Amino acid sequence: MKKLSIYLFIITFLTTALAACSDSRIYKIGVSQCSQDDWRSKMNDEINREIMLHEDAEVEIRSADDSNPKQISDIRYFADNGFDIIIVSPNEAQALTPIIKEVYESGIPVIIFDRNIIGDSYTAHIGVDDKSIGRGAAHYAFHILTEPPKVIEIYGLRGSTPAENRHNGFANELTAGGGKIIASEAGNWNKEEAIPIVDSLLKAHPEANLIYAHNDRMAIAASEITRRHGRNDIKIIGIDAAPEIGIKAVADSIIDATFLYPTEGHRLIQTALAILKGEPYQREVEIPASSAVDLSNADILLLQNETLTEETRKMKLLKEKIDDYWAKHSSQTSLFYASIAIIVLLFGVFFLVLRSFWQHRRHQMALMERNRLLEEQRDMQKSLNEKLQEATQSKLMFFTNVSHDLRTPLTLISEPVSQLADANNLTPQQHTLIKIADKNVKILRRLINRILVDDKN
Ligand code: FRU
């Protein structure tokens, strides 16, 4: 029983150890993007590239497609599905603040990036100095124009913080230098929405010499419309400098310049993991803006991007190989532990079978021994019985013989005694004595007769 418990303990220990080997903590990171576009694709690539380096984390990226209700439900999805941290680029500050505050106050860490919320209900905020980008764009306007800039502004989205800051930075710098925003309307960050707006603003303000768009997609829309209007003289500036769209548009002379809006996807994941692991992190990060991308550097940036894409491809390949190796390794390790567990189990079973076999054998031997003793006792009893019977028989025979031998003389004694007892010439004392003798002779005869009768029977 004691040994059985030891075996059970070993098996339980091995199974637990096996389970522990396969169960390591994986942090679930949810990223809620407000939309899906070239700039965010670049950022998502960076996020996925960074996550490859962290075995203990996995990420799910959701896009709200510019819809506040969709983004609210995406954030709820992350909160309800056990995500450890939520990274959000809020579509509009006002609409998204309540849900972010709710989630943050429920104890789930939240990182806000790119666009901001109202207040500071977040664990960390990683933003870009959009005002400085705006100022840089205004600077550039003065640089490429010989006359004071008369600007049509294609605003991002009213209520989204980068648009407000890009406007403020640009407007302050422009007016300070003697330029002017002659018209401003929101294109909601989209090319499609920007096209009719640029069209009508151009018609209303033919004096414009520069279009400042809050992102490259709207700047490309502006370029298409100015060409359609035959206004190739109008300079166009965008923001984002995502390689596939913005930088390419500059290299192809579709727009005049774009300003790099840093994506820094890797920084988001690093900050998230620092928060989750209780390591130090910066609560407020403002990434500085860089200089303009124009014809002078667009080609080299595109080339760099190509190299980066190629390196990323190789990294992915390598990661796939490593994953493959790990999958094989972990299945082999599990197999190894499983084999050990099975061997231990088999030994245990073998031991138990052997033990019960020995026990059975010992039991059988004991039974056999008891049987043998019983048989011996029975035989002894039998022979004793036989001897007893023999003794009884010979005793009986002896008695019969003796009785026979006694009966004849007794009969011979009894007759004279009986006659003497009937005689009347005896003294009373003699008569009494002979009566006693007669009586006892009769008793003796009766006894002997009974012995002889019993013997016959
Ligand atoms: C992408 C985007 C960018 C812009 C940023 C501002 O969704 O519209 O073009 O720079 O968002 O938040």
Side-chain angles (χ1 to χ4, degrees):
M1 199 62 200
K2 204 171 145 197
K3 279 192 180 164
L4 181 72
S5 347
I6 293 174
Y7 275 94
L8 280 177
F9 170 77
I10 293 174
I11 291 162
T12 320
F13 172 77
L14 279 175
T15 335
T16 323
L18 208 69
C21 287
S22 55
D23 176 42
S24 47
R25 176 94 165 85
I26 301 281
Y27 295 109
K28 282 172 78 179
I29 304 174
V31 178
S32 168
Q33 291 279 19
C34 51
S35 72
Q36 182 56 54
D37 47 63
D38 51 307
W39 184 81
R40 288 185 199 276
S41 296
K42 179 172 175 262
M43 171 177 264
N44 294 348
D45 282 350
E46 288 163 0
I47 288 174
N48 288 323
R49 204 155 49 220
E50 181 65 26
I51 211 80
M52 280 187 217
L53 307 174
H54 303 276
E55 286 293 325
D56 56 351
E58 60 184 28
V59 73
E60 182 176 335
I61 303 174
R62 297 195 142 215
S63 166
D65 300 324
D66 303 303
S67 149
N68 294 332
K70 168 108 179 26
Q71 190 161 33
I72 290 169
S73 86
D74 283 348
I75 295 171
R76 264 199 210 295
Y77 162 84
F78 288 134
D80 295 344
N81 284 280
F83 278 73
D84 298 294
I85 191 162
I86 306 175
I87 302 176
V88 192
S89 168
N91 191 43
E92 281 176 53
Q94 184 120 35
L96 269 299
T97 297
I99 176 76
I100 290 171
K101 195 163 184 265
E102 181 190 317
V103 167
Y104 171 70
E105 283 172 359
S106 80
I108 304 174
V110 177
I111 301 178
I112 302 293
F113 73 97
D114 163 37
R115 304 182 188 178
N116 209 341
I117 55 166
I118 299 163
D120 65 351
S121 298
Y122 49 69
T123 318
H125 171 239
I126 300 177
V128 179
D129 187 355
D130 281 288
K131 272 195 184 139
S132 158
I133 294 181
R135 282 197 296 273
H139 233 262
Y140 194 81
F142 287 112
H143 166 70
I144 50 169
L145 290 172
T146 45
E147 288 173 15
K150 292 187 217 55
V151 181
I152 289 176
E153 180 185 46
I154 310 298
Y155 202 96
L157 177 72
R158 303 270 173 216
S160 103
T161 51
E164 284 162 19
N165 292 331
R166 286 171 196 186
H167 166 80
N168 292 337
F170 184 82
N172 289 347
E173 192 74 11
L174 193 77
T175 38
K180 198 173 170 210
I181 296 177
I182 52 174
S184 175
E185 227 173 284
N188 299 336
W189 305 114
N190 288 316
K191 183 179 175 188
E192 289 67 33
E193 287 186 59
I195 286 175
I197 290 165
V198 178
D199 193 44
S200 73
L201 288 181
L202 255 188
K203 280 178 190 149
H205 301 280
E207 73 278 23
N209 54 10
L210 187 134
I211 296 178
Y212 167 55
H214 283 188
N215 71 7
D216 289 335
R217 292 191 302 284
M218 296 190 296
I220 290 167
S223 166
E224 277 177 27
I225 301 305
T226 48
R227 276 157 210 242
R228 215 180 285 166
H229 281 250
R231 294 293 309 272
N232 292 354
D233 59 307
I234 296 181
K235 304 288 181 196
I236 298 168
I237 301 176
I239 295 173
D240 277 350
E244 304 299 326
I245 302 272
I247 302 184
K248 195 161 182 307
V250 172
D252 294 344
S253 298
I254 293 170
I255 62 176
D256 293 281
T258 176
F259 285 80
L260 188 79
Y261 186 51
T263 39
E264 307 263 319
H266 66 280
R267 194 194 283 255
L268 291 176
I269 298 299
Q270 285 167 3
T271 308
L273 287 174
I275 292 170
L276 290 173
K277 293 177 185 175
E279 291 164 4
Y281 66 94
Q282 214 178 315
R283 187 166 187 263
E284 290 288 346
V285 176
E286 191 174 59
I287 303 164
S290 63
S291 51
V293 176
D294 58 16
L295 264 184
S296 67
N297 55 8
D299 281 340
I300 186 81
L301 286 174
L302 279 180
L303 208 71
Q304 267 181 359
N305 183 59
E306 255 173 52
T307 315
L308 187 70
T309 312
E310 179 56 18
E311 292 306 315
T312 307
R313 195 186 64 80
K314 283 184 191 156
M315 215 171 125
K316 270 189 192 149
L317 218 75
L318 217 67
K319 167 86 169 106
E320 272 167 23
K321 281 193 178 162
I322 292 172
D323 284 350
D324 203 42
Y325 165 79
W326 271 114
K328 274 189 198 145
H329 176 267
S330 72
S331 72
Q332 276 170 4
T333 313
S334 311
L335 208 73
F336 171 72
Y337 284 123
S339 313
I340 289 184
I342 287 169
I343 288 171
V344 170
L345 215 74
L346 282 179
F347 266 112
V349 170
F350 179 69
F351 167 77
L352 289 179
V353 168
L354 211 68
R355 207 175 69 139
S356 83
F357 171 75
W358 282 118
Q359 271 176 350
H360 183 70
R361 219 180 121 98
R362 230 179 299 147
H363 190 65
Q364 235 178 5
M365 301 245 288
L367 274 180
M368 274 161 69
E369 180 60 17
R370 237 185 30 215
N371 257 10
R372 200 185 56 75
L373 283 175
L374 281 175
E375 269 170 20
E376 241 175 53
Q377 273 175 6
R378 192 197 55 197
D379 290 349
M380 236 158 72
Q381 194 76 37
K382 203 175 153 196
S383 89
L384 272 175
N385 272 356
E386 278 168 9
K387 278 182 188 152
L388 201 71
Q389 243 176 3
E390 261 171 43
T392 316
Q393 204 60 40
S394 58
K395 244 191 248 170
L396 229 96
M397 234 150 73
F398 170 76
F399 272 119
T400 314
N401 292 343
V402 167
S403 304
H404 266 293
D405 290 349
L406 284 177
R407 196 165 61 169
T408 317
L410 206 61
T411 314
L412 291 178
I413 294 168
S414 128
E415 203 41 45
V417 171
S418 164
Q419 281 178 22
L420 262 179
D422 292 338
N424 37 20
N425 51 351
L426 300 176
T427 66
Q429 193 188 9
Q430 284 171 331
H431 193 253
T432 306
L433 288 172
I434 206 79
K435 270 281 178 202
I436 291 169
D438 185 42
K439 190 181 164 195
N440 282 297
V441 166
K442 278 188 179 126
I443 290 172
L444 263 176
R445 277 189 65 186
R446 212 181 318 128
L447 282 172
I448 288 172
N449 282 341
R450 201 187 297 160
I451 290 172
L452 289 172
V453 170
D454 281 357
D455 181 42
K456 270 185 198 142
N457 290 340

